[in-house]
Amino acid sequence: MAGLVGEYECKIDAKGRFLFPSGLRKQLSPEANEVFMLNKGFENCLTLYPMNEWEKVSSVLSKLNLFKPKNRMFYRLFHQGAKQLGLDSAGRILVPVDLMKRIGLTREVMLTAFNDRIEIWSKAEYLSIMGDNMADFADLADEVMGENSDSND
């Protein structure tokens, strides 16, 4: 699989559910079995991992030396609040209230899929962050990809 891709606008209902986009559902590996792990992301978003991808991340994390304090703290922070979720019979995902509150999620959300994960953002915050960084995109591309010799072929 090439990885998840796409940007989707969704609405969260009064119970904290949103309809999982069919475009994303088609990209899921059958091994994920429509089961996910949800945790906080690195910025002010939530990260939704298809279960097969979460298992890969967990495998990497299990190799951390937990005798090192920074490794233990990262492990704790990464897993803090993580919850296993599945699609309901209508194809919706229920976002737990505590995680919604943690990032200020309201009715309008953006899902951004890349590689092995799907980020869940407040639509307003996502558009603001992306807008603020668009002007620097060329410089960022040069800094991140400029030394990648494969990109010049």
Side-chain angles (χ1 to χ4, degrees), residues 31-51:
E31 293 139 16
N33 201 27
E34 297 185 347
V35 177
F36 304 88
M37 283 298 288
L38 179 68
N39 70 346
K40 63 186 171 315
F42 291 113
E43 285 81 27
N44 199 29
C45 68
L46 300 175
T47 305
L48 188 66
Y49 293 89
M51 188 53 76

Side-chain angles (χ1 to χ4, degrees), residues 2-67:
L4 300 169
V5 67
E7 187 178 82
Y8 304 85
E9 289 186 44
C10 298
K11 303 252 190 250
I12 292 185
D13 68 16
K15 294 182 180 178
R17 302 171 300 192
F18 66 86
L19 186 61
F20 194 78
S22 62
L24 269 178
R25 202 169 182 176
K26 291 174 188 172
Q27 295 178 53
L28 292 176
S29 168
E31 293 139 16
N33 201 27
E34 297 185 347
V35 177
F36 304 88
M37 283 298 288
L38 179 68
N39 70 346
K40 63 186 171 315
F42 291 113
E43 285 81 27
N44 199 29
C45 68
L46 300 175
T47 305
L48 188 66
Y49 293 89
M51 188 53 76
N52 61 310
E53 298 298 339
W54 176 261
E55 289 167 356
K56 292 175 190 174
V57 171
S58 291
S59 176
V60 171
L61 292 175
S62 73
K63 293 175 177 67
L64 288 176
N65 179 351
L66 296 179
F67 288 101

Side-chain angles (χ1 to χ4, degrees), residues 128-141:
S128 174
I129 286 172
M130 295 307 285
D132 290 348
N133 287 286
M134 228 24 229
D136 300 323
F137 184 51
D139 291 337
L140 181 62

Side-chain angles (χ1 to χ4, degrees), residues 11 38 40 75 86 88 111 149:
K11 303 252 190 250
L38 179 68
K40 63 186 171 315
Y75 197 88
D88 68 12
L111 304 182
S149 61

